Amino acid sequence: RSAAREYRLLDPEFIETAEMFRVNLYRQDITSNVGENVGDVGENVGDVGENTNSDVKVREKIIRMIESNNKSSASEIAQKLLISKRTVERYIRELRAEEKLVRHGAARGGYWEIKN
């Protein structure tokens, strides 16, 4: 239960039968828990490679967070935006490929530069 709370999941559902038990974990409705800095972040189902409005908003939020702290890690950003670290890493890869973000230095101790 504490791990579910740590990952912002709803309380686990325990189902017991004669031979086994099952634990169901459910995500919270992310739009009901967002703060004023987050907006409507969630998963998108669309055409592969298509940037949706939500994708653009998340990318803009990542850039704003890096502007405020150019040493932000993907984990810190993910935690603040309530999305997975892998999702943040994917957006950062895209921003780097578009040459909007440049990393200077090592993974630890380095910093981000935002290009216009």
Side-chain angles (χ1 to χ4, degrees):
R1 289 180 189 202
S2 63
R5 276 186 238 109
E6 179 182 338
Y7 288 97
R8 295 184 177 103
L9 302 173
L10 296 174
D11 282 337
E13 174 185 18
F14 296 95
I15 301 171
E16 205 173 324
T17 64
E19 299 169 356
M20 63 175 208
F21 74 94
R22 183 172 79 193
V23 179
N24 291 336
L25 299 171
Y26 300 98
R27 288 187 276 184
Q28 296 181 20
D29 178 15
I30 194 163
T31 57
S32 67
N33 291 334
V34 295
E36 60 187 61
N37 296 331
V38 179
D40 60 345
V41 177
E43 292 183 56
N44 287 303
V45 178
D47 293 335
V48 175
E50 175 183 317
N51 279 340
T52 63
N53 284 339
S54 185
D55 289 337
V56 172
K57 288 178 184 178
V58 175
R59 289 162 50 112
E60 289 171 358
K61 289 173 187 170
I62 290 171
I63 288 173
R64 282 197 307 263
M65 291 181 73
I66 290 172
E67 281 176 337
S68 67
N69 178 6
N70 68 352
K71 295 186 178 195
S72 295
S73 69
S75 296
E76 293 168 343
I77 294 169
Q79 187 174 18
K80 289 178 182 173
L81 294 180
L82 301 176
I83 58 178
S84 73
K85 178 183 171 189
R86 291 185 76 179
T87 300
V88 172
E89 290 170 343
R90 177 172 53 88
Y91 284 123
I92 287 175
R93 266 194 315 275
E94 291 172 6
L95 291 165
R96 290 177 82 174
E98 295 168 10
E99 298 181 358
K100 293 182 179 181
L101 269 183
V102 176
R103 181 73 180 179
H104 295 282
R108 290 181 184 236
Y111 66 95
W112 293 104
E113 178 185 357
I114 299 170
K115 299 283 191 172
N116 291 330

